[in-house]
Amino acid sequence: MCKTDKAGAAGKVLPNTAAHDIEALPYVIMADGKSDSVLKVDSVRLAQDELLVEGWEASTAHTALNFWVDGIQQKSVCSDMPRTDVEASMRGVNPSLKCRGFQIKMHLIKVPYQAIQLAWKTAEEDSPRLFHIKVPTMDQAVGVDMPEDITVQDNADTQPSTTAWDSEFLSQANWQQLDTLKVNAHLDRFGIMPQRSGLLAGWVVAQPGWELWLCDSEGNVESLDNALRYQREDVVELFREQFGQHTGDAGFVMPWPYALMPGAVMRLIAYHTESMQAFEVFRSTPEEVSSDPEGYARWAFTVPTPAEKFNERLNRWEGALIEELLAERQAYFDAQSTEPDVQVLGMPPKVPTLSIIIPLYSRWDFVEHQLLAFSRDPALLESTEIIYVVDDPRILTAISNEVENLHRLYNVPFKLVWGHRNRGFSGANNLGVSVSCGRQVLLLNSDAFPTIPGWANQLSHLLDTHPEFGMLGARLLNPEGGMQHAGMVFFHSSSWQVWLNKHPMAGLDPQFDVVPEGMKVIEKPAVTGACVIMTRELYDQVGGLDEGYLIGDFEDSDLCLKVIHENSKVGYAPGVELVHLERQSFSSLGDTSFRTLIVRFNAWRHTQRWGTQIQSVMKKFS
């Protein structure tokens, strides 16, 4: 806390001047070891005869902002606006902080610029803090020269085809000071993957006749007409009186396809086609974003977009970008690949008929429950090898320390495989299959438990005796006994504009799963990957599970559609039952909204690949 100086006899409370560059770094007040109040100024601008200061604050209590000149409070107007980027970044600092963006403006009438200070006062304090702000000089009200630091690339190959903005356009523009009654805007998020591309999001309102252009410090330009636009009710409320109906679709999000480095500058320029007037509306520097596909998604998916517009983002640019990042990561890992570590506990069958592949992510405590069930199944132990694939470095030490005890306790031979990194559901299963020896492979989730002995041998026998089926899935039950899975179907979501997977009888009593007498295998459009069996030959032929999905979901139905594409059928064996706890490891992947958007990306990718075939498959089952 800063000291509060008080006048003596009169008891007058005087403000404190903080020796802090509020434009360069946020000013933080600490309480009980946590950030209690934070203030940051993003921009200081002159618009005609007004001073405009924009920024953000986060505080646990009510605050007040105004201007002071020579110790006297000035008349000003302060407007609030949402700052989702601040809320996201401050959530981990102190969840109690309430965040807002602000724009505070003051009429300038014979005021010495160097004497203007921004005053900030929290509810708990008697006096405000004063911050010196760097007010730009207003050389001319009109006819301002083109900013010296705005440049344009001469190389025609780098110029976007959608714009006519060239050096002649800039040099002939009649540059003005910002007029927020004509155009107002804010950049909420601006991130770049260095030397690659970026993403911008914010809002803008403009009177008719004004074109809006984004220009970076490397001279790359794009029209804001290329942005995905959407309604922002908060902007409508703030600017209805000034801009009326022109506040519609004020929100925008768009990619920045040009390579930039940290420290680059982005400007929004307004240009009037008739008068040739131009002015800078805002400028911003980017935050650095990870080029790892999951890291990029965790950042990009927090950039606000209405649910109905998210698919448009994927169709227009983001889906292809994430796929590209996934492919690059896979190519890197393929080039850097090393042999997996394989630890053998006991003596698995030398020539097993079946290999059971079980990935372990986040949790490994279910291993003991599975080994207990396997220990009571002599036929399984005789003909089957069990392979656990550790897919999470966080659990490697713990499980490595326990596997020997678990083997001795249950006397079940198994292999423990570590591939030196997290590979995801598809990659972990593919790794497990690559080190397996069985003629058949059975993919099994770590939270799936057989109810009776003989289940694996039964699936193996059904696969051998029904060669028209390329893969078979079992019936999965919820712990309370209701059905979880009896085959999957595809349905088209009109709101998301993608095909989704559905378990038709989920939650019902198994008695409602009516099976024709004598039928042991029923054809289905798809089955879940939580328990599925196929020959090793077919698994290799179709390329195994696709590792191009982000984190999880749709890999199993993708595999089913690959099998159907090879003119084989997908079957469901209702006579084989397991209990499945379902998604026990997914809670570690992020909050619900993030997981939902991951599902939407994977559904989009799945539909891009298989949409036409899915329509054909579902006609067969309609």
Side-chain angles (χ1 to χ4, degrees):
M1 290 279 188
C2 293
K3 289 183 179 180
T4 301
D5 297 325
K6 298 187 179 181
K12 181 181 178 181
V13 178
L14 299 178
N16 301 300
T17 299
H20 182 89
D21 187 351
I22 193 66
E23 297 175 60
L25 293 170
Y27 185 84
V28 182
I29 300 174
M30 303 294 291
D32 299 326
K34 291 184 179 181
S35 298
D36 190 66
S37 296
V38 187
L39 178 70
K40 173 69 168 63
V41 168
D42 291 331
S43 65
V44 180
R45 297 175 289 172
L46 293 175
Q48 301 298 340
D49 57 351
E50 282 190 326
L51 171 65
L52 295 167
V53 174
E54 291 186 351
W56 56 267
E57 68 168 354
S59 181
T60 57
H62 179 72
T63 62
L65 280 167
N66 45 60
F67 290 112
W68 286 54
V69 175
D70 292 334
I72 301 173
Q73 182 175 327
Q74 306 294 304
K75 185 177 179 181
S76 59
V77 177
C78 188
S79 302
D80 291 356
M81 58 191 70
R83 287 294 298 269
T84 54
D85 56 330
V86 177
E87 291 176 0
S89 62
M90 288 294 166
R91 193 176 295 128
V93 175
N94 184 351
S96 301
L97 292 174
K98 294 178 176 60
C99 305
R100 67 159 181 156
F102 64 81
Q103 181 189 79
I104 182 170
K105 57 186 177 180
M106 176 181 72
H107 223 47
L108 294 174
I109 303 177
K110 297 181 180 180
V111 175
Y113 293 172
Q114 65 274 16
I116 300 175
Q117 295 176 299
L118 180 67
W120 183 50
K121 180 181 177 299
T122 64
E124 293 88 353
E125 297 177 313
D126 296 327
S127 62
R129 286 173 174 78
L130 299 183
F131 299 91
H132 289 292
I133 53 176
K134 305 181 190 74
V135 181
T137 58
M138 187 182 291
D139 297 327
Q140 297 176 345
V142 295
V144 178
D145 291 336
M146 180 181 73
E148 293 180 0
D149 54 353
I150 293 182
T151 59
V152 178
Q153 297 280 13
D154 293 329
N155 187 349
D157 292 337
T158 64
Q159 286 288 86
S161 59
T162 57
T163 176
W165 190 347
D166 53 24
S167 56
E168 182 180 359
F169 170 88
L170 286 174
S171 62
Q172 293 182 358
N174 181 14
W175 288 89
Q176 310 283 309
Q177 294 290 343
L178 170 65
D179 186 348
T180 56
L181 294 178
K182 295 174 181 176
V183 179
N184 208 332
H186 190 271
L187 192 61
D188 295 331
R189 303 294 297 275
F190 176 28
I192 60 167
M193 291 178 283
Q195 298 184 324
R196 190 186 190 103
S197 61
L199 183 70
L200 305 103
W203 57 264
V204 62
V205 288
Q207 298 290 358
W210 288 91
E211 293 181 352
L212 300 165
W213 299 89
L214 285 161
C215 175
D216 68 26
S217 49
E218 297 298 316
N220 303 302
V221 291
E222 282 284 340
S223 169
L224 205 63
D225 290 343
N226 299 328
L228 186 158
R229 302 296 291 268
Y230 59 93
Q231 190 74 359
R232 284 278 300 261
E233 291 302 324
D234 55 335
V235 177
V236 172
E237 289 299 318
L238 279 173
F239 296 101
R240 191 195 309 272
E241 293 183 6
Q242 293 181 24
F243 290 87
Q245 295 297 317
H246 303 302
T247 55
D249 284 339
F252 70 85
V253 60
M254 66 181 291
W256 195 250
Y258 308 104
L260 295 177
M261 290 296 291
V265 177
M266 181 67 68
R267 298 169 177 83
L268 179 67
I269 304 296
Y271 174 72
H272 197 271
T273 53
E274 294 184 4
S275 66
M276 299 179 65
Q277 292 182 355
F279 53 77
E280 180 180 305
V281 186
F282 66 66
R283 67 174 60 190
S284 180
T285 56
E287 58 181 305
E288 190 172 340
V289 178
S290 172
S291 59
D292 175 81
E294 182 182 332
Y296 173 80
R298 287 188 182 276
W299 179 85
F301 289 177
T302 64
V303 173
T305 307
E308 68 275 11
K309 293 283 188 176
F310 186 74
N311 224 58
E312 187 176 343
R313 274 177 63 173
L314 295 177
N315 284 327
R316 286 177 57 176
W317 75 84
E318 208 149 44
L321 172 61
I322 296 174
E323 285 198 287
E324 188 178 311
L325 296 177
L326 284 162
E328 289 178 2
R329 184 176 69 177
Q330 188 60 47
Y332 170 81
F333 283 134
D334 288 345
Q336 302 293 323
S337 64
T338 57
E339 289 297 315
D341 297 334
V342 180
Q343 183 178 358
V344 181
L345 288 305
M347 297 182 63
K350 291 183 179 180
V351 186
T353 301
L354 176 65
S355 298
I356 299 179
I357 315 298
I358 309 169
L360 300 174
Y361 178 82
S362 182
R363 299 185 62 170
W364 64 275
D365 48 313
F366 296 129
V367 169
E368 187 166 5
H369 300 278
Q370 285 187 328
L371 292 178
L372 175 61
F374 297 159
S375 70
R376 297 169 176 171
D377 195 337
L380 181 147
L381 297 178
E382 183 179 338
S383 61
T384 304
E385 70 169 344
I386 300 161
I387 301 174
Y388 283 102
V389 181
V390 180
D391 195 43
D392 187 345
R394 297 171 299 178
I395 66 172
L396 178 62
T397 299
I399 191 170
S400 297
N401 289 337
E402 288 296 323
V403 287
E404 216 167 330
N405 292 333
L406 291 173
H407 165 63
R408 290 173 180 169
L409 182 60
Y410 296 103
N411 198 28
V412 174
F414 63 92
K415 296 178 181 178
L416 186 72
V417 179
W418 164 237
H420 307 289
R421 63 179 175 90
N422 169 236
R423 298 166 181 260
F425 176 80
S426 292
N429 276 296
N430 289 342
L431 177 63
V433 171
S434 72
V435 300
S436 67
C437 303
R439 177 174 57 84
Q440 299 169 337
V441 292
L442 192 155
L443 311 184
L444 184 69
N445 279 15
S446 63
D447 55 356
F449 311 103
T451 56
I452 58 172
W455 65 280
N457 295 77
Q458 187 177 352
L459 280 174
S460 174
H461 176 73
L462 289 173
L463 188 65
D464 282 339
T465 55
H466 294 79
E468 70 275 21
F469 288 93
M471 61 194 304
L472 300 177
R475 176 189 283 169
L476 300 183
L477 305 176
N478 293 317
E480 72 278 5
M483 280 192 299
Q484 181 187 110
H485 173 79
M488 289 195 300
V489 298
F490 304 104
F491 76 97
H492 192 266
S493 168
S494 57
S495 58
W496 285 10
Q497 300 176 1
V498 293
W499 287 93
L500 297 174
N501 302 339
K502 183 179 181 180
H503 300 258
M505 288 185 284
L508 297 179
D509 189 284
Q511 66 177 331
F512 292 103
D513 185 17
V514 179
V515 179
E517 187 175 352
M519 185 171 289
K520 296 183 178 180
V521 177
I522 302 171
E523 186 179 5
K524 295 287 182 179
V527 292
T528 180
C531 179
V532 65
I533 189 173
M534 58 194 300
T535 65
R536 169 68 182 274
E537 181 182 9
L538 182 57
Y539 191 91
D540 290 341
Q541 181 180 330
V542 301
L545 287 160
D546 189 334
E547 297 182 31
Y549 289 93
L550 192 57
I551 298 180
D553 286 326
F554 294 94
E555 301 104 320
D556 48 5
S557 53
D558 185 287
L559 182 62
C560 294
L561 290 162
K562 285 181 180 179
V563 167
I564 293 172
H565 187 70
E566 293 296 321
N567 297 315
S568 287
K569 296 180 180 181
V570 173
Y572 158 62
V576 181
E577 290 186 344
L578 292 89
V579 172
H580 184 213
L581 303 185
E582 193 175 29
R583 294 183 179 267
Q584 290 300 303
S585 61
F586 267 59
S587 60
S588 62
L589 298 180
D591 62 32
T592 303
S593 59
F594 173 68
R595 290 203 302 274
T596 298
L597 294 178
I598 289 295
V599 171
R600 291 196 63 172
F601 166 76
N602 286 331
W604 172 87
R605 184 179 187 272
H606 187 259
T607 301
Q608 295 291 309
R609 279 157 174 67
W610 300 109
T612 302
Q613 181 169 317
I614 289 173
Q615 287 181 323
S616 176
V617 168
M618 290 314 298
K619 281 182 181 178
K620 179 178 180 180
F621 289 91
S622 61

